Structures are given as C-alpha cells and as structure tokens.
Amino acid sequence: MILGVVKEGRRESPFFRPESLPAMRNTSYWVFFVLIALLAGLQYRLWLGDGSLAQVTQLKQQIADQQGENQQLKERNRILEAEVLELKSGMETVEERARHELGMLKEGETLYQLAE
C-alpha cells in the first residue's frame, strides 16, 4: 500500500501534488473548451451542414415525388404501347381514328351534322 506524505497535519497523495494544480486547471480548461467546440461542430453538421437531417428529409420527399411521377409516366407509356400495337394489328382502330379525328367517310356514306 502506498502511503502519502504527511505535511502540516494532512496527508498528501504521491499522485497529486498541490503545486501542479494551476497547470492542471489550465489544461482542463483547454480540454473543456476543445470538447465544447467539437460538440458544437458536430451539432452544426447534424442539423445544418451537408447531409443534415433536414437535407435527408428533403431528399426523401424528392424521391417520393419522383417515384410518383415515374409511376404516372409508366402508366401513360403502357397505354401508348397498347395503342401502337392496336394500330399495327387492326384496321378498325385506324378507321375509327380517321372518322373521329379527321372527319373522313367511306365511299357511299353520308354525314349528317346536327347543330344545337
């Protein structure tokens, strides 16, 4: 067992000397301020910096919006592809479009237009 030196009625530890106290205080203040600065820097990066929580939330919203738009475009492409296949395979669709969009008639047909 290590016993400390008894000086002026009190026992002193061999590991702690009162004369080293001012140097330890100065060092501990620096360590404290460095740790506070480090903590502040990490908090800044977490809340406001690159890759912050706000930015991650915004990017997740953009991804959701883009996925919704992609789904709509896929549906539109599916409809257009079905229409193209129908136009390639059958003449009924071509005839129907020619009648409705271009106002064309077959030979011998008469068009009656009613005005309201």
Side-chain angles (χ1 to χ4, degrees), residues 14-15 20 24-25 31-32 50-51 54 80-81 84 86-88 100 102 107:
F15 304 109
S20 68
M24 280 180 48
R25 277 192 184 154
V31 170
F32 176 73
D50 221 15
L80 289 174
E81 186 178 346
V84 165
E86 194 175 318
L87 286 171
K88 283 182 178 180
H100 289 292
L102 303 174
E107 271 187 51

Side-chain angles (χ1 to χ4, degrees), residues 84-107:
V84 165
L85 289 174
E86 194 175 318
L87 286 171
K88 283 182 178 180
S89 64
M91 290 303 289
E92 293 173 9
T93 308
V94 175
E95 186 178 326
E96 182 183 334
R97 280 196 146 192
R99 288 176 183 270
H100 289 292
E101 292 177 11
L102 303 174
M104 299 179 101
L105 301 174
K106 282 185 180 178
E107 271 187 51

Side-chain angles (χ1 to χ4, degrees), residues 10-23:
R10 44 180 198 161
R11 193 169 85 191
E12 292 184 5
S13 168
F15 304 109
F16 177 75
R17 295 188 184 105
E19 56 271 1
S20 68
L21 189 60

